[in-house]
Amino acid sequence: MPLDASDLSAIWLTIQLAGLTTVLLLLVGTPVAWWLSRTRSAWKGPIGAIVALPLVLPPTVIGFYLLVVMGPNGPLGQLTQQLGLGTLSFSFAGLVVGSVFYSLPFVVQPLQNAFEAIGPRPLEAAATLRASPWDTFITVVLPLARPGFITAAILGFAHTVGEFGVVLMIGGNIPGKTRVVSTQIYSHVEAMEYAQAHWLAGGMLVFSFAILLLLYARRRHAPFHP
């Protein structure tokens, strides 16, 4: 069989990680993107730069500092220990935290672009009808920004699936617990099991190509807004 039980376990863990991370990214990224698209605060630049840091920082650097923060002597690690949760490092929960931070710009930036493209007119029209800010966001902004949400969800999921450096630094490579597809490929290569590595790597290649093809197809068929 091309894929053994450990490969299937890594695939299932990767799907769980990417799915949960995508949901959390949309919950966290939506208010951040909305604030960045609307604010004129002097903090817009620094906060936008912090959100975009994973785009330029090496994954191992991000993973190292997250490991320090979540470790037994780090602020988050001390907090989780006081709450009786232990430390997040080398756990699935730690992978989720690291994945949310690492993939955040891939969700925030499409959402921010979508919110900015709406413009002020629909919001002003809703205000003249005495709609509350919350009603305006739910009934006007969300429907108009729907393509941005779809793009953000696809990119967030795909980027989480493809993580390696961050997950290896934070979670190690523990079978059934933190070993995802990317680290499983690494394990096969280390053991010189190239046939198994080919199956997983080929699957990742097909998945990545399909994601990009879907995004380009959606962009080509998107309506033009002058």
Side-chain angles (χ1 to χ4, degrees), residues 5-23:
S6 63
D7 294 328
L8 296 177
S9 174
I11 292 172
W12 175 236
L13 192 67
T14 303
I15 293 172
Q16 289 179 293
L17 175 63
L20 180 56
T21 298
T22 302
V23 172

Side-chain angles (χ1 to χ4, degrees), residues 23-46:
V23 172
L24 293 176
L25 281 169
L26 291 174
L27 292 176
V28 173
T30 297
V32 173
W34 178 247
W35 183 82
L36 288 172
S37 69
R38 304 291 297 170
T39 187
R40 294 183 179 179
S41 169
W43 287 99
K44 178 177 180 178

Side-chain angles (χ1 to χ4, degrees), residues 38-102:
R38 304 291 297 170
T39 187
R40 294 183 179 179
S41 169
W43 287 99
K44 178 177 180 178
I47 292 179
I50 291 173
V51 170
L53 268 179
L55 295 175
V56 296
L57 274 179
T60 49
V61 173
I62 298 172
F64 170 71
Y65 282 113
L66 287 174
L67 184 62
V68 170
V69 170
M70 294 190 297
N73 297 321
L76 184 56
Q78 291 180 348
L79 175 62
T80 55
Q81 288 179 96
Q82 290 175 359
L83 296 175
L85 302 176
T87 57
L88 295 177
S89 52
F90 304 106
S91 69
F92 181 79
L95 291 187
V96 173
V97 173
S99 299
V100 167
F101 181 80
Y102 185 51

Side-chain angles (χ1 to χ4, degrees), residues 178-201:
T178 63
R179 179 176 288 179
V180 293
V181 169
S182 57
T183 53
Q184 178 73 350
I185 294 172
Y186 177 75
S187 298
H188 281 316
V189 173
E190 273 198 320
M192 300 187 70
E193 298 170 346
Y194 293 132
Q196 293 92 328
H198 271 306
W199 276 97
L200 286 177

Side-chain angles (χ1 to χ4, degrees), residues 129-184:
L129 297 175
R130 298 183 179 180
S132 68
W134 178 250
D135 288 336
T136 300
F137 187 80
I138 294 297
T139 60
V140 178
V141 174
L142 289 185
L144 291 176
R146 181 173 174 269
F149 276 93
I150 295 174
T151 299
I154 292 173
L155 287 177
F157 187 93
H159 191 250
T160 303
V161 168
E163 290 177 13
F164 175 72
V166 170
V167 297
L168 188 62
M169 291 289 289
I170 296 174
N173 195 9
I174 306 171
K177 187 176 180 181
T178 63
R179 179 176 288 179
V180 293
V181 169
S182 57
T183 53
Q184 178 73 350

